[in-house]
């Protein structure tokens, strides 16, 4: 099943084509993409349950920035750049922790949990220091169904809630706000451009070719649709027992989930939020994944699973088997994406045609072209193109 929910008044003259290969490896283009696409985008840091107490924090490092989300004395969550206002030292170390105050390890400048500068050794020796003006630099934060998002720059783009509004009724039964971490955050470096990972995630055509396990589980029921800001993929788990032992055991052990309606008891649903955050929603658990650009040809995949407390043996077995099945799917995708990145280095390849059924890839490429018109060029422009004045196009 294919549906294109993407609606724009101005048609894309290149709608039938993917992005040109040079945009998956060019350093100057990569810098523009980070500024216009990634810095204004929402990124998942953690779940509210990961920072339940005063002083609990989680950090996210990406695009050369470190962002910290911390719970204040008033119970509110705030986000700041993890940087001291004195000499720029990093303040908090590690992916998570708890602190009563934020104290710089360099010169002991001290900040309250709400970001206010509270203490400076030898305060009188700084004649130009305005304590009220030197608090931590805030970062935009949004809480969506318990998940904590941040973005480095506000370009007026939609909130996470706005992006996901068309699917609110589908997400609601899964009780996202009640989820708890199931496992730990894993980081997987990949020697590919970030867009190739996202393209693969939303590509429905390769499922029957390259993922025999998913084909056995879902048959011909895999569907794809796109709103332009969110891609949705889904597939029902068939009743017919799979020929694979792990898949067959998952089908057998997956128990009824009382809070899910009948139509979602055996349905796998995937959402990709513009431009690089994904939620894999299963009856037994919810995984989030984001692919963070490192360089034109390097990406860091960050992911963790969440689940509702459920001590049933059948549910524990289903969650373990889910992991086994998707570990194989991830291995298959890793090889596929590497093949694409390698092939794009060939001088014989520019941009490939897109099927009308590749609605998610069409929507993504179209949005990129509106933000970066140079992405319409089959070959890279002359060096320095990004420093020339540009015409702003509606995104």
């Amino acid at each position: 099943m294919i549906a294109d929910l993407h609606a724009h008044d101005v048609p894309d003259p290149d709608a039938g084509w993917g992005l040109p290969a040079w945009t998956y490896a060019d350093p100057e283009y990569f810098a523009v993409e980070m500024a216009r696409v990634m810095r204004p985008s929402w990124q998942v840091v953690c779940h509210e349950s990961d920072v339940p107490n005063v002083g609990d924090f989680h950090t996210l490092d990406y695009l050369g920035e470190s962002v910290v989300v911390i719970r204040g004395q008033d119970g509110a969550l705030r986000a700041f750049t993890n940087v001291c206002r004195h000499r720029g030292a990093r303040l908090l170390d590690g992916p998570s922790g708890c602190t009563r105050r934020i104290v710089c390890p360099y010169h002991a400048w001290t900040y309250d949990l709400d970001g206010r500068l509270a203490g400076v050794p030898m305060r009188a020796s700084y004649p130009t220091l305005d304590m009220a003006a030197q608090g931590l630099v805030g970062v935009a934060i949004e809480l969506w169904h318990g998940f904590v998002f941040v973005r480095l720059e506000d370009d007026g783009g939609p909130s996470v809630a706005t992006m996901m509004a068309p699917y609110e009724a589908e997400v609601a039964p899964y009780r996202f706000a009640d989820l708890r971490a199931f496992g730990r955050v894993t980081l997987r470096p990949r020697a590919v451009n970030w867009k190739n990972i996202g393209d693969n995630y939303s590509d429905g055509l390769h499922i029957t070719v390259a993922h025999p396990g998913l084909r056995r589980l879902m048959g011909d029921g895999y569907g794809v649709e796109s709103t332009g800001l969110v891609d949705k993929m889904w597939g029902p788990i068939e009743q017919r027992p799979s020929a694979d032992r792990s898949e067959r055991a998952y089908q057998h052990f997956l128990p009824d989930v009382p809070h899910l309606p009948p139509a979602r008891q055996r349905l796998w649903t995937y959402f990709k939020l513009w431009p690089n955050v994904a939620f894999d929603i299963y009856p037994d658990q919810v995984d989030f994944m984001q692919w963070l650009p490192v360089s034109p040809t390097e990406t860091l995949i960050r992911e963790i699973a969440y689940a509702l407390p459920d001590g049933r043996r059948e549910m524990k077995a289903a969650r373990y088997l889910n992991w086994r099945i998707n570990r194989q799917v991830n291995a298959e995708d890793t090889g596929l994406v590497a093949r694409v990145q390698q092939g794009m280095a060939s001088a014989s390849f520019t941009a490939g045609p897109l099927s009308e059924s590749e609605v998610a890839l069409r929507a993504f490429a179209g949005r990129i072209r509106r933000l970066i018109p140079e992405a319409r060029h089959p070959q890279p422009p002359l060096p320095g193109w990004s420093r020339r004045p540009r015409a702003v196009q509606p995104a």
Side-chain angles (χ1 to χ4, degrees):
M1 182 184 301
I2 305 295
D4 188 355
L5 308 181
H6 187 70
H8 285 285
D9 295 332
V10 181
D12 181 2
D14 300 311
W17 295 91
L19 298 173
W22 69 272
T23 68
Y24 291 76
D26 183 80
E28 186 172 2
Y29 176 84
F30 178 79
V32 173
E33 211 169 47
M34 295 306 97
R36 300 186 197 173
V37 176
M38 296 303 302
R39 288 187 67 88
S41 69
W42 292 104
Q43 301 297 327
V44 174
V45 179
C46 61
H47 190 272
E48 284 192 89
S49 63
D50 296 323
V51 282
N53 303 312
V54 172
D56 287 348
F57 68 85
H58 260 250
T59 60
L60 174 65
D61 293 355
Y62 71 113
L63 303 187
E65 300 278 4
S66 178
V67 176
V68 58
V69 169
I70 192 164
R71 192 171 294 278
Q73 294 286 350
D74 58 358
L77 287 176
R78 297 177 178 85
F80 306 101
T81 53
N82 190 17
V83 177
C84 182
R85 298 298 301 279
H86 177 212
R87 297 288 294 159
R90 183 184 176 113
L91 292 168
L92 295 168
D93 294 323
S96 62
C98 184
T99 185
R100 294 178 62 184
R101 276 188 166 185
I102 302 172
V103 181
C104 179
Y106 198 0
H107 299 99
W109 280 37
T110 302
Y111 303 86
D112 287 334
L113 300 180
D114 61 4
R116 289 180 295 179
L117 180 59
V120 174
M122 302 174 61
R123 165 70 182 85
S125 68
Y126 296 85
T128 62
L129 176 61
D130 180 354
M131 296 279 288
Q134 291 299 309
L136 298 179
V137 176
V139 174
I141 185 170
E142 180 179 354
L143 306 182
W144 178 76
H145 287 281
F147 284 97
V148 183
F149 287 77
V150 298
R151 64 177 172 187
L152 296 173
E153 295 180 6
D154 183 358
D155 67 344
S159 65
V160 177
T162 298
M163 287 194 289
M164 286 298 294
Y167 302 108
E168 182 67 25
E170 291 188 49
V171 170
Y174 291 92
R175 295 168 48 191
F176 274 23
D178 298 326
L179 294 172
R180 297 294 180 267
F182 176 59
R184 58 182 178 83
V185 172
T186 59
L187 302 173
R188 296 186 285 129
R190 293 289 182 263
V192 298
N193 182 271
W194 71 278
K195 296 190 296 300
N196 267 329
I197 296 175
D199 290 345
N200 177 78
Y201 186 89
S202 298
D203 177 6
L205 293 184
H206 80 286
I207 301 298
T208 58
V209 178
H211 293 312
L214 294 183
R215 180 65 185 278
R216 287 189 295 265
L217 283 173
M218 301 175 183
D220 295 323
Y222 197 84
V224 180
E225 68 181 37
S226 179
T227 67
L229 290 170
V230 176
D231 301 336
K232 174 192 168 187
M233 289 67 65
W234 68 93
I237 302 302
E238 293 196 334
Q239 296 293 338
R240 182 180 59 188
S242 168
D244 177 85
R245 184 170 59 181
S246 293
E247 296 159 9
R248 187 168 63 251
Y250 178 82
Q251 292 171 305
H252 172 74
F253 284 111
L254 181 63
D256 287 340
V257 182
H259 57 273
L260 293 181
R264 310 200 77 82
Q265 289 287 340
R266 301 178 73 84
L267 181 69
W268 286 12
T269 309
Y270 310 86
F271 289 106
K272 189 194 94 172
L273 285 65
W274 166 267
N276 67 318
V277 172
F279 286 94
D280 302 348
I281 304 177
Y282 310 103
D284 44 296
Q285 66 191 62
V286 175
D287 302 349
F288 93 63
M289 179 173 75
Q290 62 199 138
W291 36 99
L292 299 170
V294 177
S295 78
T297 55
E298 297 174 287
T299 303
L300 187 65
I301 298 177
R302 179 176 181 261
E303 58 188 349
I304 185 175
Y306 288 88
L308 294 171
D310 191 327
R312 290 179 292 173
R313 294 177 62 185
E314 298 90 344
M315 183 60 81
K316 291 180 180 179
R319 288 170 178 169
Y320 170 72
L321 293 162
N322 181 311
W323 172 79
R324 283 184 61 92
I325 293 166
N326 280 297
R327 181 180 62 174
Q328 177 61 33
V329 173
N330 288 337
E332 292 161 356
D333 280 333
T334 297
L336 293 171
V337 173
R339 285 176 176 270
V340 173
Q341 188 71 38
Q342 292 162 1
M344 283 184 168
S346 170
S348 67
F349 183 79
T350 52
L354 293 178
S355 162
E356 290 183 349
S357 67
E358 293 180 283
V359 293
L361 273 66
R362 281 173 168 249
F364 180 83
R367 188 167 178 82
I368 289 287
R369 285 189 286 259
R370 286 189 295 278
L371 291 170
I372 310 174
E374 290 80 4
R376 299 184 185 279
H377 300 177
Q379 300 296 333
L382 294 175
W385 61 268
S386 63
R387 295 188 291 274
R388 293 191 286 269
R390 67 186 179 97
V392 178
Q393 298 192 22

